[in-house]
Amino acid sequence: MKDKKKILAGLVVFIAVITFPFWFNMGKAAPAPELVLTAKAKAAKTCVMPTEFMKAEHMQLLDVWRHNVVRGAERMFVSPDGKLYNMSLSNTCLDCHSNKAEFCDRCHDYASVRPYCWDCHIDNPKGE
């Protein structure tokens, strides 16, 4: 135990190196992206669900829609305000939010998520 000081110094350096990314970036979060709505989305003024719900839980809604359409053969969604919508990413959501790069991609890039929706529901620019 003659190397007690060396071991303690090594542990301090190890902990400092391991925790460096956390304390170095503390309080430096990037601001949320500004989204660009299309003219059609601005004119509609309403979505299938309230804006705050869609910001946080649109993927869960789309999963429910996919399940209902594919497995239950249900095509219509009744919103909380009583309006009927076709359960379709391509024909309902992307009808208003057609500017994928300025609307969808900005938030998905900010959150570092790569949704698989675009594999089928938008033209793949690579032609795969």
Side-chain angles (χ1 to χ4, degrees):
M1 295 307 286
K2 294 181 182 179
D3 295 332
K4 187 189 252 185
K5 290 182 181 178
K6 290 180 184 177
I7 293 172
L8 187 59
L11 283 173
V12 168
V13 169
F14 175 75
I15 290 172
V17 168
I18 293 299
T19 60
F20 176 75
F22 298 104
W23 54 265
F24 180 74
N25 289 319
M26 195 173 290
K28 296 180 184 176
E34 290 292 324
L35 302 180
V36 178
L37 292 175
T38 61
K40 187 169 188 173
K42 287 178 186 176
K45 295 186 182 180
T46 60
C47 193
V48 296
M49 294 291 280
T51 303
E52 291 306 316
F53 176 88
M54 293 304 287
K55 283 182 181 179
E57 301 188 39
H58 65 277
M59 193 61 214
Q60 289 81 358
L61 178 69
L62 292 173
D63 280 340
V64 169
W65 281 16
R66 179 184 62 184
H67 179 80
N68 290 348
V69 170
V70 173
R71 296 198 170 88
E74 298 174 34
R75 298 295 293 166
M76 299 309 290
F77 172 75
V78 180
S79 69
D81 61 359
K83 288 185 179 178
L84 282 174
Y85 293 95
N86 185 14
M87 285 192 260
S88 170
L89 176 65
S90 299
N91 298 324
T92 301
C93 304
L94 294 177
D95 187 36
C96 285
H97 303 293
S98 58
N99 55 345
K100 180 181 174 288
E102 295 175 348
F103 189 80
C104 307
D105 289 346
R106 285 188 181 181
C107 277
H108 292 149
D109 290 344
Y110 176 76
S112 295
V113 295
R114 300 285 175 253
Y116 54 87
C117 310
W118 313 124
D119 294 348
C120 300
H121 291 282
I122 200 163
D123 291 337
N124 190 338
K126 296 177 184 174
E128 296 173 0

